[in-house]
Amino acid sequence: MKLKTNIYIIATLSIAVALPTFAVDRVATPAVQTASAGRVISIAPDTTSVNVTRGEVVTFVVGAKSFAWNFNEPSTISEIDLEQVAPSGVLDHAVKVYVRRNPLTDGA
């Protein structure tokens, strides 16, 4: 019985230690439904960069296609290639996303 309890504790601690590492390594929060987005940004053929605020949920419209993204990444990330988070085949050119600090959550 004690062995079973020890195995459970070790497994739980292993998961707890691994989770923060995963959270830091990811670029952004997974895609969300476009209906929950707070802002819409159209990406034209000549768009090379856009600005968002950390924690903002944005729908990107590219021609007839769209996708939403929650920019809830670690505060150490301030620039993202939109191609990294866009679904395959949506973008046909490079677009940089500049993520500015959120004064409500990141301080002044």
Side-chain angles (χ1 to χ4, degrees):
M1 185 69 148
K2 188 166 179 109
L3 177 63
K4 199 182 260 187
T5 302
N6 288 342
I7 291 173
Y8 176 77
I9 291 170
I10 291 170
T12 303
L13 290 174
S14 298
I15 292 170
V17 169
L19 286 178
T21 303
F22 173 77
V24 171
D25 289 344
R26 63 192 170 105
V27 172
T29 303
V32 295
Q33 293 182 4
T34 57
S36 66
R39 184 162 69 122
V40 176
I41 298 177
S42 294
I43 304 294
D46 61 343
T47 303
T48 58
S49 66
V50 297
N51 296 312
V52 301
T53 301
R54 189 171 326 289
E56 187 173 23
V57 179
V58 178
T59 295
F60 293 97
V61 178
V62 186
K65 299 176 184 177
S66 67
F67 68 98
W69 197 262
N70 182 353
F71 288 92
N72 195 22
E73 70 290 333
S75 61
T76 56
I77 296 175
S78 61
E79 183 180 309
I80 298 171
D81 291 325
L82 193 57
E83 299 93 335
Q84 290 181 340
V85 299
S88 179
V90 173
L91 288 174
D92 60 357
H93 65 284
V95 177
K96 289 279 188 195
V97 178
Y98 295 101
V99 184
R100 62 183 163 243
R101 296 172 56 93
N102 185 332
L104 298 175
T105 58
D106 295 336

